């Protein structure tokens, strides 16, 4: 990105003053190296977001921002419904409520080491991953609607996990306001047999070792101990979410002129929150959030079964579950005024600081765990929300490394088999139904996740707590 | 004579599909081939089973996105891959048949699932030589 079009506010904050039809400024959080490498499309997209009706304060881009659809991936924007604010299907994205959850195993890396191969094989067999894979659950019409209303709570009620899990999930595992009636039959058809599946692309299930602790106090509260093994699951709302995204994007593109909205880019398709299309989308999107929460809950159950078979007595407890493609109704203070806003986070993680009422009792005084996924061979991080984050980007942080190279370039540069062997020599076992898929997801095709996390930490968006290194990766 | 062909074009996180042909229908068929080629090698997919598809849109660009999304829905809901397409257009109405087979992980080694066709880099145009081009980015 050309730096001369930005005003540098600090070593990790860059500002674009409103020009053209922008209603608010745009702010990018990144260090000089990250912003220099950032695609020019991020500039174009984040300034486009700033033109949308009812946008509040500024349009934000996180340190992992890259070229997305309408919104950049790593984009955050909040809208006030009563000031003509909009909800945007493009601002949430296709994989609604895609997110990460991380579980304690309580096991030490050296205890897991002799069983690594068997764990990798068993997890790969028992957790459906990749194109065309199906779960064991089949939902009829009534079951589908109950799942879309209940989310992870529905899964727990059906024997997948425990009540204690729900405390550690955003919205307590169940997004209010879901309207299964707004979800099309096509979307439900895509989901019939997809509950409990990882999907493909950058989705994964990993065993990871905690290799560094950066913040002892928060690590203690999250019960993170160096040398211990955790499980992280990255996936979303599967076919149902994709279909809802597809259908509402089209509906909003066609409806926008009727609402007097001039779209600078069709992918920014949106509708006023106070409109039939806006309300229908919110009802459907919230149902998709529940679908993603139920999906991660069922996968958690499958993972626990594998551990129970191979390492009897192991208890996998949930540290936290975050969603990074959402639009949520939240209260935020803007210019000293508390306002109810619709916060879009597309490839961005919510990062509530200490004291936030939505946090479970045992985490309330320390802040929300913020889970940042890496790519196959690289590190993941656990951060914690900060108080000052509330004054920056509506308590949001990055979500991962973000691609730096297209899939095409990646397959030209790496071969799946060689990559699997190379990672194995570093002690990282990969299991995937597709070697080309592995090459497309090569760690080198992503930005340096450590640099992204460092920038988020320095910008005060969230604070580093622990670094995780992959041991086993099941790729979709 | 314009030869029908397809290609991919890069997008940072995802993939662009481009179909070129002597007619708009041919360009649409080629764009569909490009989409399957994101998932697997076209030669590995036997065109054994036929599926009918219909859609309608206010303009040709939206129609291209609708066509690809209709295929994505059939791929996902039927767990199929398609390797042969026949499209006919009547104004902004599309009738098509797609031929393919059930996904077989061993045989097809599917690299990635296509989530949806997008309006990014969306273009349906006829150039001076008369050839049609239909393209957009698909989210994977």
């Amino acid at each position: 990105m050309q730096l001369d079009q930005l005003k540098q506010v600090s070593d990790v904050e860059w500002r674009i003053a409103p020009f053209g039809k922008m209603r608010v400024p745009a702010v990018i959080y990144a260090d000089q190296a990250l912003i220099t490498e950032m695609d020019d499309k991020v500039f174009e997209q984040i300034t486009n977001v700033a033109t949308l009706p009812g946008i509040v304060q500024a349009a934000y881009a996180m340190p992992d921002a890259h070229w997305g659809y309408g919104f950049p991936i790593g984009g955050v924007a909040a809208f006030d419904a009563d000031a003509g604010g909009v909800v945007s299907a493009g601002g949430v994205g296709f994989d609604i409520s895609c997110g990460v959850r991380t579980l304690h195993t309580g096991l030490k890396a050296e205890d897991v080491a002799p069983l690594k191969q068997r764990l990798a094989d068993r997890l790969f067999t028992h957790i459906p991953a990749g194109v065309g894979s199906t779960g064991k659950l089949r939902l009829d019409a009534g079951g589908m609607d109950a799942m879309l209303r209940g989310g992870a709570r529905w899964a727990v009620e059906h024997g997948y996990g425990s009540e204690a899990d729900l405390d550690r999930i955003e919205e307590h595992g169940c997004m209010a306001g879901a309207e299964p009636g707004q979800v099309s039959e096509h979307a439900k058809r895509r989901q019939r047999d997809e509950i409990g599946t990882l999907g493909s692309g950058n989705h994964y299930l990993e065993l990871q070792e905690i290799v560094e602790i950066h913040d002892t106090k928060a690590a203690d509260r999250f019960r993170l101990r160096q040398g211990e093994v955790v499980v992280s699951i990255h996936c979303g709302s599967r076919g149902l979410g994709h279909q809802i995204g597809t259908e509402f994007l089209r509906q909003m593109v066609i409806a926008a002129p009727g609402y007097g909205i001039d779209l600078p880019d069709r992918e920014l398709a949106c509708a006023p929150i106070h409109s039939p299309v806006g309300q229908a989308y919110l009802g459907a999107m919230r149902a998709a959030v529940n679908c993603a929460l139920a999906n991660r809950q069922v996968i958690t159950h499958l993972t626990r079964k594998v551990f129970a078979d191979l390492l009897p007595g192991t208890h996998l407890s949930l540290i936290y579950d975050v969603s990074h493609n959402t639009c949520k109704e939240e209260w935020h203070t803007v210019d000293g005024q508390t306002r109810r806003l619709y916060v879009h986070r597309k490839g961005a993680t919510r990062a509530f600081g200490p004291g936030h009422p939505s946090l479970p009792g045992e985490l309330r005084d320390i802040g929300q765990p913020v889970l940042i996924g890496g790519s196959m061979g690289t590190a993941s991080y656990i951060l914690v929300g900060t108080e000052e984050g509330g004054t920056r980007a509506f308590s949001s942080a990055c979500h991962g490394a973000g691609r730096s190279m297209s899939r095409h370039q990646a397959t030209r540069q790496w071969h799946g088999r060689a990559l699997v062997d190379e990672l194995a020599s570093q002690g990282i076992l990969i299991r995937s139904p597709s070697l080309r898929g592995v090459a497309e997801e090569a760690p080198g095709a992503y930005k340096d996740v450590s640099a992204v996390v460092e920038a988020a930490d320095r910008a005060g968006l969230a604070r580093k707590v622990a670094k995780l290194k992959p041991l086993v990766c099941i790729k979709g | 004579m314009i030869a029908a062909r397809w290609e991919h074009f890069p997008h940072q996180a995802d993939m662009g599909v481009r179909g070129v042909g002597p007619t708009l229908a041919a360009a649409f068929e080629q764009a569909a081939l490009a989409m399957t080629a994101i998932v697997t090698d076209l030669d590995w997919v036997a065109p054994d089973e036929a599926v009918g598809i219909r859609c309608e849109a206010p303009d040709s660009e939206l129609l291209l996105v609708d066509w690809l999304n209709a295929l994505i829905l059939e791929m996902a809901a039927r767990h199929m891959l398609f390797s042969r397409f026949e499209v006919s257009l009547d104004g902004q109405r599309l009738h098509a048949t797609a031929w393919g087979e059930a996904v077989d992980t061993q045989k097809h080694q599917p690299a990635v699932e296509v989530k949806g066709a997008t309006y990014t880099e969306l273009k349906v145009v006829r150039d001076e030589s008369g050839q049609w081009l239909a393209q957009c980015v698909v989210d994977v």
Side-chain angles (χ1 to χ4, degrees):
Chain A
M1 188 181 290
Q2 296 290 336
L3 298 188
D4 53 9
Q5 44 193 356
L6 311 164
K7 181 173 172 262
Q8 185 163 11
V9 180
S10 74
D11 64 333
V12 283
E13 183 179 340
W14 309 75
R15 217 173 170 81
I16 305 159
F19 65 87
K21 292 181 177 170
M22 283 169 75
R23 296 168 195 258
V24 291
V27 175
I28 304 174
Y29 292 105
D31 64 19
Q32 182 136 3
L34 285 167
I35 204 152
T36 309
E37 277 172 42
M38 221 175 252
D39 200 301
D40 281 321
K41 290 276 182 189
V42 174
F43 180 93
E44 184 186 317
Q45 293 189 323
I46 202 66
T47 53
N48 277 344
V49 170
T51 69
L52 294 177
I55 185 165
V56 174
Q57 199 163 280
Y60 296 96
M62 299 291 111
D64 51 339
H66 56 280
W67 180 18
Y69 306 105
F71 276 55
I73 317 281
V76 176
F79 298 85
D80 185 337
D82 298 328
V86 293
V87 58
S88 167
V92 172
F94 285 95
D95 200 356
I96 299 168
S97 199
C98 179
V100 182
R101 65 164 53 185
T102 300
L103 302 131
H104 290 291
T105 66
L107 300 165
K108 293 204 165 50
E110 62 254 35
D111 299 332
V112 170
L115 284 163
K116 231 163 86 174
Q117 293 276 358
R118 284 176 68 197
L119 272 168
D121 292 337
R122 200 69 79 87
L123 287 166
F124 185 51
T125 312
H126 284 82
I127 291 159
V131 179
S133 60
T134 57
K136 285 215 169 69
L137 259 163
R138 294 289 175 277
L139 294 176
D140 61 15
M144 177 71 70
D145 286 2
M147 182 273 287
L148 295 176
R149 248 185 234 109
R153 171 165 295 283
W154 168 89
V156 168
E157 282 164 6
H158 286 74
Y160 301 96
S162 68
E163 194 73 26
D165 293 335
L166 301 177
D167 270 345
R168 297 299 184 114
I169 305 174
E170 289 181 343
E171 324 308 328
H172 209 70
C174 175
M175 183 87 171
E179 288 179 42
Q182 297 294 351
V183 178
S184 73
E185 285 311 312
H186 282 161
K188 291 175 181 172
R189 194 174 144 218
R190 275 177 82 165
Q191 195 58 31
R192 257 183 335 207
D193 50 13
E194 287 200 348
I195 278 286
T197 63
L198 267 183
S200 69
N202 61 359
H203 294 161
Y204 60 74
L205 182 147
E206 277 191 352
L207 298 195
Q208 301 158 332
E209 179 185 347
I210 302 168
V211 289
E212 282 171 26
I213 299 283
H214 300 280
D215 179 330
T216 325
K217 188 179 163 212
D220 275 351
R221 300 301 303 283
F222 296 168
R223 292 195 294 115
L224 302 171
R225 295 177 197 96
Q226 191 158 344
E228 282 195 357
V229 174
V230 296
V231 178
S232 288
I233 298 165
H234 176 215
C235 62
S237 50
R238 310 293 300 110
L240 181 121
H242 309 164
Q243 189 68 26
I244 291 171
T246 297
E247 290 170 5
F248 277 96
L249 202 62
R250 183 184 199 273
Q251 214 174 318
M252 287 177 174
V253 164
I254 293 170
Y259 291 126
I261 299 171
D262 179 20
L263 294 174
D265 171 356
R266 273 181 289 206
E267 287 291 333
L268 277 176
C270 58
I273 295 159
H274 291 316
S275 73
V277 177
Q279 286 300 310
Y281 175 70
L282 283 168
M285 184 220 40
R286 289 166 181 154
V289 170
N290 282 333
C291 179
L293 298 181
N295 195 37
R296 291 198 284 274
Q297 189 64 30
V298 172
I299 293 174
T300 299
H301 172 78
L302 300 174
T303 309
R304 284 173 172 156
K305 270 177 55 183
V306 169
F307 272 83
D309 283 351
L310 287 180
L311 289 151
T314 311
H315 177 64
L316 269 58
S317 61
L318 186 55
I319 299 171
Y320 211 66
D321 178 302
V322 299
S323 295
H324 48 226
N325 285 350
T326 58
C327 171
K328 290 186 175 179
E329 223 177 306
E330 298 168 8
W331 292 89
H332 288 278
T333 306
V334 181
D335 298 329
Q337 251 192 326
T338 305
R339 291 166 73 177
R340 190 180 63 159
L341 302 175
Y342 289 75
V343 184
H344 292 64
R345 294 187 183 88
K346 185 180 188 185
T349 313
R350 183 154 87 178
F352 282 147
H356 198 279
S358 85
L359 294 175
E362 68 267 34
L363 296 179
R364 197 163 299 162
D365 65 325
I366 192 83
Q368 183 208 305
V370 177
L371 311 173
I372 308 299
S375 54
M376 269 184 312
T378 61
S380 294
Y381 283 86
I382 297 178
L383 286 70
V384 62
T386 61
E387 204 152 344
E388 65 263 42
T391 60
R392 298 185 181 99
F394 305 106
S395 293
S396 310
C398 52
H399 85 307
R403 287 193 84 92
S404 62
M405 196 185 275
S406 72
R407 287 171 186 279
H408 243 318
Q409 282 170 292
T411 47
R412 276 202 299 269
Q413 203 151 332
W414 292 284
H415 289 283
R417 173 47 55 196
L419 205 56
V420 169
D421 292 344
E422 191 195 314
L423 290 167
S425 74
Q426 298 169 27
I428 304 166
L429 303 182
I430 308 293
R431 295 286 183 276
S432 172
S434 165
L435 286 172
R436 188 174 119 196
V438 168
E440 290 183 4
E441 290 293 327
Y446 281 82
K447 291 179 201 181
D448 176 5
V449 68
S450 300
V452 165
V453 164
E454 197 60 45
D457 182 298
R458 274 176 26 223
L461 301 172
R463 202 170 62 244
K464 271 197 301 184
V465 176
K467 180 180 181 180
L468 316 172
K469 176 195 153 220
L471 300 172
V472 170
C473 177
I474 312 298
K475 277 307 285 179
Chain B
M1 178 70 194
I2 297 156
R5 63 186 167 84
W6 62 264
E7 62 193 9
H8 293 145
F9 63 93
H11 175 273
Q12 197 174 13
D14 294 298
M15 200 87 108
V17 295
R18 182 178 291 142
V20 176
T23 62
L24 183 55
F28 273 38
E29 289 166 2
Q30 294 294 319
L33 289 168
M35 190 164 75
T36 299
I38 291 176
V39 186
T40 188
D41 192 319
L42 283 165
D43 294 337
W44 297 347
V45 183
D48 288 343
E49 197 186 319
V51 174
I53 287 169
R54 282 158 185 261
C55 41
E56 192 175 351
D59 63 57
S60 313
E61 291 190 339
L62 289 179
L63 190 61
L64 173 69
V65 174
D66 283 0
W67 155 237
L68 296 178
N69 277 325
L71 284 170
I72 290 167
L73 171 64
E74 296 303 335
M75 285 161 75
R78 295 173 190 267
H79 305 299
M80 283 181 73
L81 291 167
F82 300 106
S83 57
R84 197 183 140 213
F85 305 92
E86 247 175 52
V87 171
S88 68
L89 293 168
D90 168 17
Q92 301 307 328
R93 230 174 275 149
L94 176 147
H95 294 255
T97 308
W99 286 267
E101 64 175 331
V103 178
D104 176 334
T105 307
Q106 289 298 318
K107 180 180 175 190
H108 301 123
Q109 302 258 318
V112 74
E113 179 183 43
V114 182
K115 294 176 187 165
T118 78
Y119 303 109
T120 300
E121 303 286 304
L122 171 59
K123 219 190 284 182
V124 174
V125 288
R126 189 176 196 188
D127 70 14
E128 287 157 7
S129 65
Q131 87 176 348
W132 283 91
L133 178 148
Q135 68 166 48
C136 72
V137 168
V138 298
D139 190 7
V140 296

